[in-house]
Amino acid sequence: MAKITLVDDDENIVTSVSLALESHGHAVKAYYDGASGLAALENDPPDLAILDVKMPRMDGMEVLRRLRRTSDVPVIILTSKDEEIDEILGFNLGADDYIHKPFSQRLLIERVKAVLRRAGRGEADEAAGPASAAEVSARAIKRGKLTLDPARHDCLWDGKPVKLTVTEFLLLQSLAQRPGFVKSRDNLMDAAYEDQVYVDDRTIDSHIKRMRKKFREVDPDFDAIETLYGVGYRYRET
């Protein structure tokens, strides 16, 4: 099962979430403020991080912002706020999913399973064994300067590594599988999100914007992801 780091200043939430995750076999490490949580995430990267938004010393958004400078660990954001702007900000910063408080343990477990599965760290991946991993590796994609290896979650551009979040990787994989073909935002949502996760067009646009920025950090002339306004996106092999 997965190593999960939980960062939340509410003892009741920490206790209930930890018990729920541990009852499904996950190993949970809990921290009660953003600064100590960020230090733990950087020093001992888990398979998944769960971050509360409102915390002392450093809020969850700032933890996520700093974490994304060096890590692509999957992140689920917890928040008691019910404002759309907070969710959009979280996705802009690289969150993989969002859960609003209060939430049921069942919802939490399903969201955790979904994110781990998308990251290739879930139950199905463990049960499949070496043969399945080899099959996945065989589906590595090479498109011009781009190399994507789903088995290792590796992305290279002209031989240089590009760190992508789980969601960014799945979006790029969907685009690169068929260069020149347009993918609507709905198509991309289906590729990157489970059925029970609902996002809007701006979320996909935010992920694409972040992805382009990362590629342009290694190649200022990167232009392989094209926008077709009112239609969607496509990958242009270079």
Side-chain angles (χ1 to χ4, degrees), residues 151-162:
R152 296 178 176 83
H153 190 75
D154 283 344
C155 175
L156 301 176
W157 181 259
D158 202 16
K160 300 174 184 176
V162 181

Side-chain angles (χ1 to χ4, degrees), residues 7-10 13 31-34 51-63 77-83 86 98 101:
V7 190
D8 195 312
D9 65 329
D10 187 321
I13 293 290
Y31 300 88
Y32 291 89
D33 66 82
L51 307 177
D52 185 32
V53 171
K54 295 182 67 177
M55 291 187 292
R57 298 182 65 195
M58 186 184 299
D59 66 32
M61 294 301 188
E62 183 60 23
V63 173
I77 292 289
L78 302 179
T79 181
S80 56
K81 298 179 180 179
D82 196 23
E83 298 179 9
D86 298 312
Y98 230 88
K101 299 177 182 178

Side-chain angles (χ1 to χ4, degrees), residues 174-175 177-184 228 233-236:
S174 177
L175 289 168
Q177 282 171 342
R178 302 188 72 189
F181 285 80
V182 179
K183 292 289 183 76
S184 69
L228 282 81
Y233 296 93
R234 70 181 170 196
Y235 183 85
R236 183 173 63 85

Side-chain angles (χ1 to χ4, degrees), residues 76-185:
I76 295 175
I77 292 289
L78 302 179
T79 181
S80 56
K81 298 179 180 179
D82 196 23
E83 298 179 9
E84 185 182 31
I85 187 64
D86 298 312
E87 187 168 341
I88 294 171
L89 176 59
F91 282 125
N92 282 340
L93 293 175
D96 294 283
D97 203 353
Y98 230 88
I99 303 178
H100 291 287
K101 299 177 182 178
F103 52 85
S104 68
Q105 290 190 0
R106 180 178 178 182
L107 173 64
L108 170 72
I109 295 301
E110 288 303 315
R111 291 292 181 88
V112 166
K113 285 169 60 177
V115 172
L116 288 171
R117 187 162 53 245
R118 286 157 52 197
R121 305 173 188 182
E123 297 171 10
D125 183 65
E126 294 174 1
S132 178
E135 292 174 4
V136 174
S137 182
R139 295 200 294 270
I141 297 172
K142 292 187 177 182
R143 299 284 186 263
K145 296 180 180 180
L146 176 70
T147 301
L148 283 177
D149 186 345
R152 296 178 176 83
H153 190 75
D154 283 344
C155 175
L156 301 176
W157 181 259
D158 202 16
K160 300 174 184 176
V162 181
K163 282 188 170 293
L164 300 179
T165 67
V166 173
T167 304
E168 291 164 355
F169 192 97
L170 291 172
L171 290 172
L172 181 58
Q173 183 179 9
S174 177
L175 289 168
Q177 282 171 342
R178 302 188 72 189
F181 285 80
V182 179
K183 292 289 183 76
S184 69
R185 291 173 177 81

Side-chain angles (χ1 to χ4, degrees), residues 160-211:
K160 300 174 184 176
V162 181
K163 282 188 170 293
L164 300 179
T165 67
V166 173
T167 304
E168 291 164 355
F169 192 97
L170 291 172
L171 290 172
L172 181 58
Q173 183 179 9
S174 177
L175 289 168
Q177 282 171 342
R178 302 188 72 189
F181 285 80
V182 179
K183 292 289 183 76
S184 69
R185 291 173 177 81
D186 287 342
N187 294 149
L188 293 172
M189 288 178 194
D190 291 342
Y193 289 94
E194 299 288 322
D195 290 341
Q196 72 268 28
V197 179
Y198 298 96
V199 297
D200 62 20
D201 289 355
R202 286 173 293 178
T203 299
I204 298 298
D205 295 341
S206 295
H207 286 304
I208 296 291
K209 181 180 178 180
R210 281 178 51 82
M211 201 176 352

